[in-house]
Amino acid sequence: MRVLGIDPGLTRCGVGVVEGVPGRPGTLIDYHVVRSEPDEDIALRLLHLDRSLAELVARHQPESVAVERVFSQHNARTVMGTAQASAVAILAGSRAGLPVQTYTPSEVKAAVTGSGTADKAQVTAMVTRLLKLDAPPKPADAADAIAIAICHIWRGGTRARIQAAAIAAARRSSR
């Protein structure tokens, strides 16, 4: 399964492409950080993010998209920008006809490190170890996006199989 993981943000939006199967180390295909200037008009920033994500989806041909779910922050302006970037990310996957799944930061941390309270350094270290990378992906936004993709492969793939099995069982019992 090839997954495009997205750590949404307006100034820095991390994107990681990972290929793998549940329970096994994956392979890093690529990673990017889509950047925009904070003083630029919001409409132009969102348009730039939309075009960049559409191009990355077209280039990498993922089977699904995983996006970090927006979490509550004390700074309303920051959370609004993150929520807007998240909506653009979800739309990029949906527009391409791909399944899109969101994960909370603690779900991602728990999947990758075993602890839902891990810090950024621990997430980056585990991403580096799990994918057998020569160096940690930088900046942290890219490492977070890669972790989101890994989380989806390990948790989302299993979740999708359970859902498919339940649908198949329901169809068999209704015959």
Side-chain angles (χ1 to χ4, degrees):
M1 170 189 313
R2 181 176 283 203
V3 176
L4 188 121
I6 302 172
D7 180 28
L10 268 180
T11 305
R12 291 179 322 276
C13 179
V15 181
V17 184
V18 178
E19 205 165 87
V21 295
R24 306 249 175 159
T27 302
L28 179 64
I29 304 301
D30 205 357
Y31 67 89
H32 303 272
V33 175
V34 179
R35 298 175 188 274
S36 71
E37 294 300 321
D39 57 350
E40 190 175 18
D41 180 71
I42 185 71
L44 295 175
R45 294 175 79 185
L46 292 170
L47 182 60
H48 170 67
L49 180 58
D50 180 53
R51 288 178 176 162
S52 298
L53 292 176
E55 189 272 320
L56 290 167
V57 167
R59 180 186 320 160
H60 293 294
Q61 298 290 301
E63 295 168 59
S64 60
V65 173
V67 180
E68 187 172 82
R69 191 175 303 153
V70 177
F71 58 95
S72 178
Q73 294 178 336
H74 298 295
N75 184 338
R77 186 174 177 184
T78 301
V79 80
M80 285 299 295
T82 303
Q84 291 166 328
S86 179
V88 170
I90 292 167
L91 182 61
S94 183
R95 187 182 290 134
L98 299 171
V100 178
Q101 182 72 44
T102 61
Y103 296 93
T104 64
S106 58
E107 283 179 295
V108 174
K109 292 172 184 179
V112 174
T113 70
S115 169
T117 60
D119 62 24
K120 284 192 177 286
Q122 291 170 307
V123 170
T124 299
M126 284 306 296
V127 163
T128 304
R129 185 176 305 143
L130 289 169
L131 298 178
K132 298 179 174 119
L133 304 177
D134 294 333
K138 292 187 180 183
D141 308 283
D144 288 348
I146 294 165
I148 294 161
I150 293 169
C151 174
H152 182 69
I153 290 167
W154 289 356
R155 293 197 171 178
T158 302
R159 193 180 295 166
R161 277 200 297 262
I162 291 169
Q163 202 170 32
I167 290 169
R171 285 184 183 150
R172 281 192 304 274
S173 68
S174 68
R175 290 182 191 167

